[in-house]
Amino acid sequence: LDHDSRQPQTTLAMSMRNLRILINDLDANTSVKALRKSLPSVKAELVAVQAAVRQIIDLQQDLVDAIRLELDDTRPSPRTINADEMVERACKSNMTLARDLDITLRGARSRIAFVADERWVERILNNLVANAIWHSNGKKILIGARRIRGDIAFEVRDNGRGMKPEAVAGIFEPLKAPSLSPIGQSA
């Protein structure tokens, strides 16, 4: 929930930044008196919206932390899923962010159907796509699905910088608790 909802919030924040840049350009380049008169109010509203987005993100994190303590809703709800629909949804969910960062995002067609918990598959696929967008420094991302020895494999490929071999080797290792830090420092 936390990761999935942060992505559109981040896109909203980036859009607000882009609008602010556009308004500044209009302010510097236009001679229409009425437009100039309204610009300070529009700028003030944009600042308010950006502050509200920051508050939503902070509040959301507090809520997610509280829910994690109270509930454990991890039981799967399997059903038949069309891989092509999952790929299409992942593209649509991440398209605005990709476009804002000048990244080409597309999905490869697939006729694969399988049984799984749709929300978990979608969450994992969106995480993979978002990571490719944010961290690969690539400009092209392709999402696809295929069968490998009876399993379904979703792939997110990019033309970015890749990962160091030691990072790849440990990618599926369980997370370890951080070591305790000296007094006065955060773990």
PDB file of all heavy atoms in Angstrom, residues 109-133:
ATOM      1  N   ARG A 109       3.189  -8.043 -25.720  1.00  0.00           N
ATOM      2  CA  ARG A 109       1.947  -8.822 -25.706  1.00  0.00           C
ATOM      3  C   ARG A 109       2.218 -10.231 -25.195  1.00  0.00           C
ATOM      4  O   ARG A 109       3.273 -10.809 -25.428  1.00  0.00           O
ATOM      5  CB  ARG A 109       1.340  -8.889 -27.100  1.00  0.00           C
ATOM      6  CG  ARG A 109       1.043  -7.542 -27.752  1.00  0.00           C
ATOM      7  CD  ARG A 109      -0.087  -6.799 -27.149  1.00  0.00           C
ATOM      8  NE  ARG A 109      -1.325  -7.560 -27.351  1.00  0.00           N
ATOM      9  CZ  ARG A 109      -2.462  -7.224 -26.812  1.00  0.00           C
ATOM     10  NH1 ARG A 109      -2.556  -6.191 -26.048  1.00  0.00           N
ATOM     11  NH2 ARG A 109      -3.534  -7.946 -27.035  1.00  0.00           N
ATOM     12  N   SER A 110       1.226 -10.786 -24.486  1.00  0.00           N
ATOM     13  CA  SER A 110       1.345 -12.138 -23.952  1.00  0.00           C
ATOM     14  C   SER A 110      -0.035 -12.770 -23.899  1.00  0.00           C
ATOM     15  O   SER A 110      -1.007 -12.107 -23.566  1.00  0.00           O
ATOM     16  CB  SER A 110       1.948 -12.078 -22.550  1.00  0.00           C
ATOM     17  OG  SER A 110       1.885 -13.333 -21.937  1.00  0.00           O
ATOM     18  N   ARG A 111      -0.110 -14.057 -24.196  1.00  0.00           N
ATOM     19  CA  ARG A 111      -1.388 -14.771 -24.116  1.00  0.00           C
ATOM     20  C   ARG A 111      -1.431 -15.696 -22.903  1.00  0.00           C
ATOM     21  O   ARG A 111      -2.277 -16.568 -22.822  1.00  0.00           O
ATOM     22  CB  ARG A 111      -1.606 -15.587 -25.380  1.00  0.00           C
ATOM     23  CG  ARG A 111      -1.886 -14.723 -26.582  1.00  0.00           C
ATOM     24  CD  ARG A 111      -2.228 -15.591 -27.745  1.00  0.00           C
ATOM     25  NE  ARG A 111      -1.389 -15.158 -28.852  1.00  0.00           N
ATOM     26  CZ  ARG A 111      -1.310 -15.765 -29.990  1.00  0.00           C
ATOM     27  NH1 ARG A 111      -1.984 -16.855 -30.205  1.00  0.00           N
ATOM     28  NH2 ARG A 111      -0.542 -15.304 -30.937  1.00  0.00           N
ATOM     29  N   ILE A 112      -0.543 -15.504 -21.972  1.00  0.00           N
ATOM     30  CA  ILE A 112      -0.438 -16.380 -20.809  1.00  0.00           C
ATOM     31  C   ILE A 112      -1.525 -16.053 -19.795  1.00  0.00           C
ATOM     32  O   ILE A 112      -1.774 -14.895 -19.481  1.00  0.00           O
ATOM     33  CB  ILE A 112       0.945 -16.231 -20.148  1.00  0.00           C
ATOM     34  CG1 ILE A 112       2.038 -16.646 -21.125  1.00  0.00           C
ATOM     35  CG2 ILE A 112       1.024 -17.032 -18.856  1.00  0.00           C
ATOM     36  CD1 ILE A 112       3.432 -16.322 -20.647  1.00  0.00           C
ATOM     37  N   ALA A 113      -2.164 -17.106 -19.290  1.00  0.00           N
ATOM     38  CA  ALA A 113      -3.097 -16.975 -18.172  1.00  0.00           C
ATOM     39  C   ALA A 113      -2.577 -17.876 -17.055  1.00  0.00           C
ATOM     40  O   ALA A 113      -2.013 -18.939 -17.308  1.00  0.00           O
ATOM     41  CB  ALA A 113      -4.503 -17.386 -18.583  1.00  0.00           C
ATOM     42  N   PHE A 114      -2.745 -17.436 -15.823  1.00  0.00           N
ATOM     43  CA  PHE A 114      -2.244 -18.204 -14.691  1.00  0.00           C
ATOM     44  C   PHE A 114      -3.102 -17.907 -13.458  1.00  0.00           C
ATOM     45  O   PHE A 114      -3.894 -16.969 -13.451  1.00  0.00           O
ATOM     46  CB  PHE A 114      -0.769 -17.878 -14.421  1.00  0.00           C
ATOM     47  CG  PHE A 114      -0.507 -16.429 -14.119  1.00  0.00           C
ATOM     48  CD1 PHE A 114      -0.355 -15.996 -12.811  1.00  0.00           C
ATOM     49  CD2 PHE A 114      -0.422 -15.496 -15.143  1.00  0.00           C
ATOM     50  CE1 PHE A 114      -0.120 -14.664 -12.527  1.00  0.00           C
ATOM     51  CE2 PHE A 114      -0.190 -14.154 -14.875  1.00  0.00           C
ATOM     52  CZ  PHE A 114      -0.038 -13.736 -13.561  1.00  0.00           C
ATOM     53  N   VAL A 115      -2.924 -18.709 -12.422  1.00  0.00           N
ATOM     54  CA  VAL A 115      -3.681 -18.530 -11.183  1.00  0.00           C
ATOM     55  C   VAL A 115      -2.734 -17.999 -10.114  1.00  0.00           C
ATOM     56  O   VAL A 115      -1.682 -18.591  -9.852  1.00  0.00           O
ATOM     57  CB  VAL A 115      -4.325 -19.860 -10.723  1.00  0.00           C
ATOM     58  CG1 VAL A 115      -5.022 -19.672  -9.385  1.00  0.00           C
ATOM     59  CG2 VAL A 115      -5.310 -20.362 -11.772  1.00  0.00           C
ATOM     60  N   ALA A 116      -3.102 -16.866  -9.519  1.00  0.00           N
ATOM     61  CA  ALA A 116      -2.300 -16.243  -8.455  1.00  0.00           C
ATOM     62  C   ALA A 116      -3.145 -15.182  -7.767  1.00  0.00           C
ATOM     63  O   ALA A 116      -4.275 -14.899  -8.181  1.00  0.00           O
ATOM     64  CB  ALA A 116      -1.032 -15.626  -9.028  1.00  0.00           C
ATOM     65  N   ASP A 117      -2.592 -14.561  -6.734  1.00  0.00           N
ATOM     66  CA  ASP A 117      -3.240 -13.441  -6.063  1.00  0.00           C
ATOM     67  C   ASP A 117      -2.913 -12.177  -6.863  1.00  0.00           C
ATOM     68  O   ASP A 117      -1.761 -11.736  -6.907  1.00  0.00           O
ATOM     69  CB  ASP A 117      -2.743 -13.314  -4.629  1.00  0.00           C
ATOM     70  CG  ASP A 117      -3.483 -12.226  -3.863  1.00  0.00           C
ATOM     71  OD1 ASP A 117      -3.511 -11.078  -4.343  1.00  0.00           O
ATOM     72  OD2 ASP A 117      -4.027 -12.536  -2.791  1.00  0.00           O
ATOM     73  N   GLU A 118      -3.929 -11.624  -7.492  1.00  0.00           N
ATOM     74  CA  GLU A 118      -3.739 -10.499  -8.414  1.00  0.00           C
ATOM     75  C   GLU A 118      -3.088  -9.293  -7.747  1.00  0.00           C
ATOM     76  O   GLU A 118      -2.215  -8.650  -8.315  1.00  0.00           O
ATOM     77  CB  GLU A 118      -5.093 -10.115  -9.009  1.00  0.00           C
ATOM     78  CG  GLU A 118      -5.012  -9.063 -10.069  1.00  0.00           C
ATOM     79  CD  GLU A 118      -6.356  -8.839 -10.749  1.00  0.00           C
ATOM     80  OE1 GLU A 118      -7.392  -9.253 -10.191  1.00  0.00           O
ATOM     81  OE2 GLU A 118      -6.355  -8.262 -11.835  1.00  0.00           O
ATOM     82  N   ARG A 119      -3.513  -8.967  -6.511  1.00  0.00           N
ATOM     83  CA  ARG A 119      -2.963  -7.757  -5.887  1.00  0.00           C
ATOM     84  C   ARG A 119      -1.485  -7.888  -5.611  1.00  0.00           C
ATOM     85  O   ARG A 119      -0.750  -6.924  -5.745  1.00  0.00           O
ATOM     86  CB  ARG A 119      -3.637  -7.344  -4.593  1.00  0.00           C
ATOM     87  CG  ARG A 119      -4.643  -8.185  -4.016  1.00  0.00           C
ATOM     88  CD  ARG A 119      -5.089  -7.864  -2.645  1.00  0.00           C
ATOM     89  NE  ARG A 119      -4.811  -9.075  -1.892  1.00  0.00           N
ATOM     90  CZ  ARG A 119      -4.825  -9.192  -0.622  1.00  0.00           C
ATOM     91  NH1 ARG A 119      -5.109  -8.178   0.107  1.00  0.00           N
ATOM     92  NH2 ARG A 119      -4.549 -10.312  -0.045  1.00  0.00           N
ATOM     93  N   TRP A 120      -1.026  -9.091  -5.237  1.00  0.00           N
ATOM     94  CA  TRP A 120       0.398  -9.262  -4.955  1.00  0.00           C
ATOM     95  C   TRP A 120       1.215  -9.258  -6.235  1.00  0.00           C
ATOM     96  O   TRP A 120       2.306  -8.675  -6.278  1.00  0.00           O
ATOM     97  CB  TRP A 120       0.641 -10.531  -4.139  1.00  0.00           C
ATOM     98  CG  TRP A 120       0.120 -10.377  -2.746  1.00  0.00           C
ATOM     99  CD1 TRP A 120      -1.017 -10.926  -2.230  1.00  0.00           C
ATOM    100  CD2 TRP A 120       0.681  -9.570  -1.711  1.00  0.00           C
ATOM    101  NE1 TRP A 120      -1.182 -10.520  -0.924  1.00  0.00           N
ATOM    102  CE2 TRP A 120      -0.152  -9.683  -0.586  1.00  0.00           C
ATOM    103  CE3 TRP A 120       1.805  -8.765  -1.620  1.00  0.00           C
ATOM    104  CZ2 TRP A 120       0.106  -9.027   0.611  1.00  0.00           C
ATOM    105  CZ3 TRP A 120       2.065  -8.108  -0.430  1.00  0.00           C
ATOM    106  CH2 TRP A 120       1.217  -8.241   0.675  1.00  0.00           C
ATOM    107  N   VAL A 121       0.719  -9.886  -7.281  1.00  0.00           N
ATOM    108  CA  VAL A 121       1.440  -9.883  -8.557  1.00  0.00           C
ATOM    109  C   VAL A 121       1.529  -8.440  -9.074  1.00  0.00           C
ATOM    110  O   VAL A 121       2.596  -7.987  -9.512  1.00  0.00           O
ATOM    111  CB  VAL A 121       0.756 -10.799  -9.600  1.00  0.00           C
ATOM    112  CG1 VAL A 121       1.408 -10.658 -10.971  1.00  0.00           C
ATOM    113  CG2 VAL A 121       0.787 -12.250  -9.137  1.00  0.00           C
ATOM    114  N   GLU A 122       0.428  -7.720  -9.004  1.00  0.00           N
ATOM    115  CA  GLU A 122       0.423  -6.339  -9.478  1.00  0.00           C
ATOM    116  C   GLU A 122       1.369  -5.467  -8.654  1.00  0.00           C
ATOM    117  O   GLU A 122       2.121  -4.651  -9.196  1.00  0.00           O
ATOM    118  CB  GLU A 122      -0.993  -5.768  -9.436  1.00  0.00           C
ATOM    119  CG  GLU A 122      -1.113  -4.409 -10.073  1.00  0.00           C
ATOM    120  CD  GLU A 122      -2.558  -3.983 -10.264  1.00  0.00           C
ATOM    121  OE1 GLU A 122      -3.480  -4.637  -9.745  1.00  0.00           O
ATOM    122  OE2 GLU A 122      -2.761  -2.971 -10.955  1.00  0.00           O
ATOM    123  N   ARG A 123       1.380  -5.642  -7.363  1.00  0.00           N
ATOM    124  CA  ARG A 123       2.261  -4.865  -6.490  1.00  0.00           C
ATOM    125  C   ARG A 123       3.727  -5.131  -6.842  1.00  0.00           C
ATOM    126  O   ARG A 123       4.523  -4.205  -6.979  1.00  0.00           O
ATOM    127  CB  ARG A 123       1.998  -5.221  -5.030  1.00  0.00           C
ATOM    128  CG  ARG A 123       2.938  -4.508  -4.075  1.00  0.00           C
ATOM    129  CD  ARG A 123       2.572  -4.785  -2.653  1.00  0.00           C
ATOM    130  NE  ARG A 123       1.367  -4.038  -2.356  1.00  0.00           N
ATOM    131  CZ  ARG A 123       0.587  -4.280  -1.324  1.00  0.00           C
ATOM    132  NH1 ARG A 123       0.861  -5.242  -0.494  1.00  0.00           N
ATOM    133  NH2 ARG A 123      -0.483  -3.548  -1.107  1.00  0.00           N
ATOM    134  N   ILE A 124       4.075  -6.402  -6.993  1.00  0.00           N
ATOM    135  CA  ILE A 124       5.462  -6.754  -7.318  1.00  0.00           C
ATOM    136  C   ILE A 124       5.857  -6.195  -8.678  1.00  0.00           C
ATOM    137  O   ILE A 124       6.934  -5.598  -8.837  1.00  0.00           O
ATOM    138  CB  ILE A 124       5.650  -8.287  -7.268  1.00  0.00           C
ATOM    139  CG1 ILE A 124       5.515  -8.774  -5.823  1.00  0.00           C
ATOM    140  CG2 ILE A 124       6.989  -8.692  -7.873  1.00  0.00           C
ATOM    141  CD1 ILE A 124       5.352 -10.274  -5.701  1.00  0.00           C
ATOM    142  N   LEU A 125       4.988  -6.351  -9.674  1.00  0.00           N
ATOM    143  CA  LEU A 125       5.294  -5.855 -11.013  1.00  0.00           C
ATOM    144  C   LEU A 125       5.456  -4.338 -11.016  1.00  0.00           C
ATOM    145  O   LEU A 125       6.403  -3.800 -11.607  1.00  0.00           O
ATOM    146  CB  LEU A 125       4.202  -6.291 -11.999  1.00  0.00           C
ATOM    147  CG  LEU A 125       4.462  -6.018 -13.471  1.00  0.00           C
ATOM    148  CD1 LEU A 125       5.781  -6.631 -13.936  1.00  0.00           C
ATOM    149  CD2 LEU A 125       3.307  -6.551 -14.309  1.00  0.00           C
ATOM    150  N   ASN A 126       4.572  -3.625 -10.326  1.00  0.00           N
ATOM    151  CA  ASN A 126       4.696  -2.165 -10.249  1.00  0.00           C
ATOM    152  C   ASN A 126       5.971  -1.750  -9.522  1.00  0.00           C
ATOM    153  O   ASN A 126       6.601  -0.749  -9.886  1.00  0.00           O
ATOM    154  CB  ASN A 126       3.469  -1.548  -9.594  1.00  0.00           C
ATOM    155  CG  ASN A 126       2.346  -1.348 -10.577  1.00  0.00           C
ATOM    156  OD1 ASN A 126       2.569  -0.997 -11.732  1.00  0.00           O
ATOM    157  ND2 ASN A 126       1.125  -1.589 -10.143  1.00  0.00           N
ATOM    158  N   ASN A 127       6.374  -2.506  -8.498  1.00  0.00           N
ATOM    159  CA  ASN A 127       7.628  -2.202  -7.813  1.00  0.00           C
ATOM    160  C   ASN A 127       8.815  -2.348  -8.762  1.00  0.00           C
ATOM    161  O   ASN A 127       9.717  -1.500  -8.784  1.00  0.00           O
ATOM    162  CB  ASN A 127       7.826  -3.124  -6.603  1.00  0.00           C
ATOM    163  CG  ASN A 127       6.950  -2.740  -5.441  1.00  0.00           C
ATOM    164  OD1 ASN A 127       6.418  -1.645  -5.369  1.00  0.00           O
ATOM    165  ND2 ASN A 127       6.800  -3.667  -4.511  1.00  0.00           N
ATOM    166  N   LEU A 128       8.811  -3.424  -9.553  1.00  0.00           N
ATOM    167  CA  LEU A 128       9.901  -3.637 -10.505  1.00  0.00           C
ATOM    168  C   LEU A 128       9.964  -2.508 -11.537  1.00  0.00           C
ATOM    169  O   LEU A 128      11.042  -1.998 -11.860  1.00  0.00           O
ATOM    170  CB  LEU A 128       9.731  -4.976 -11.219  1.00  0.00           C
ATOM    171  CG  LEU A 128       9.942  -6.226 -10.360  1.00  0.00           C
ATOM    172  CD1 LEU A 128       9.520  -7.468 -11.140  1.00  0.00           C
ATOM    173  CD2 LEU A 128      11.375  -6.327  -9.898  1.00  0.00           C
ATOM    174  N   VAL A 129       8.809  -2.112 -12.052  1.00  0.00           N
ATOM    175  CA  VAL A 129       8.764  -1.042 -13.058  1.00  0.00           C
ATOM    176  C   VAL A 129       9.215   0.290 -12.446  1.00  0.00           C
ATOM    177  O   VAL A 129      10.036   1.010 -13.030  1.00  0.00           O
ATOM    178  CB  VAL A 129       7.357  -0.918 -13.681  1.00  0.00           C
ATOM    179  CG1 VAL A 129       7.281   0.269 -14.628  1.00  0.00           C
ATOM    180  CG2 VAL A 129       6.979  -2.201 -14.400  1.00  0.00           C
ATOM    181  N   ALA A 130       8.698   0.612 -11.266  1.00  0.00           N
ATOM    182  CA  ALA A 130       9.085   1.870 -10.605  1.00  0.00           C
ATOM    183  C   ALA A 130      10.587   1.900 -10.320  1.00  0.00           C
ATOM    184  O   ALA A 130      11.238   2.925 -10.511  1.00  0.00           O
ATOM    185  CB  ALA A 130       8.290   2.058  -9.321  1.00  0.00           C
ATOM    186  N   ASN A 131      11.142   0.777  -9.887  1.00  0.00           N
ATOM    187  CA  ASN A 131      12.584   0.724  -9.642  1.00  0.00           C
ATOM    188  C   ASN A 131      13.373   0.948 -10.930  1.00  0.00           C
ATOM    189  O   ASN A 131      14.394   1.643 -10.923  1.00  0.00           O
ATOM    190  CB  ASN A 131      12.972  -0.606  -8.999  1.00  0.00           C
ATOM    191  CG  ASN A 131      12.571  -0.664  -7.548  1.00  0.00           C
ATOM    192  OD1 ASN A 131      12.364   0.343  -6.903  1.00  0.00           O
ATOM    193  ND2 ASN A 131      12.454  -1.883  -7.035  1.00  0.00           N
ATOM    194  N   ALA A 132      12.920   0.364 -12.027  1.00  0.00           N
ATOM    195  CA  ALA A 132      13.596   0.580 -13.307  1.00  0.00           C
ATOM    196  C   ALA A 132      13.521   2.055 -13.709  1.00  0.00           C
ATOM    197  O   ALA A 132      14.504   2.626 -14.192  1.00  0.00           O
ATOM    198  CB  ALA A 132      12.984  -0.306 -14.394  1.00  0.00           C
ATOM    199  N   ILE A 133      12.372   2.676 -13.498  1.00  0.00           N
ATOM    200  CA  ILE A 133      12.209   4.091 -13.853  1.00  0.00           C
ATOM    201  C   ILE A 133      13.137   4.960 -13.005  1.00  0.00           C
ATOM    202  O   ILE A 133      13.855   5.813 -13.515  1.00  0.00           O
ATOM    203  CB  ILE A 133      10.739   4.530 -13.690  1.00  0.00           C
ATOM    204  CG1 ILE A 133       9.867   3.867 -14.764  1.00  0.00           C
ATOM    205  CG2 ILE A 133      10.616   6.051 -13.743  1.00  0.00           C
ATOM    206  CD1 ILE A 133       8.375   4.056 -14.553  1.00  0.00           C
TER     207      ILE A 133
END
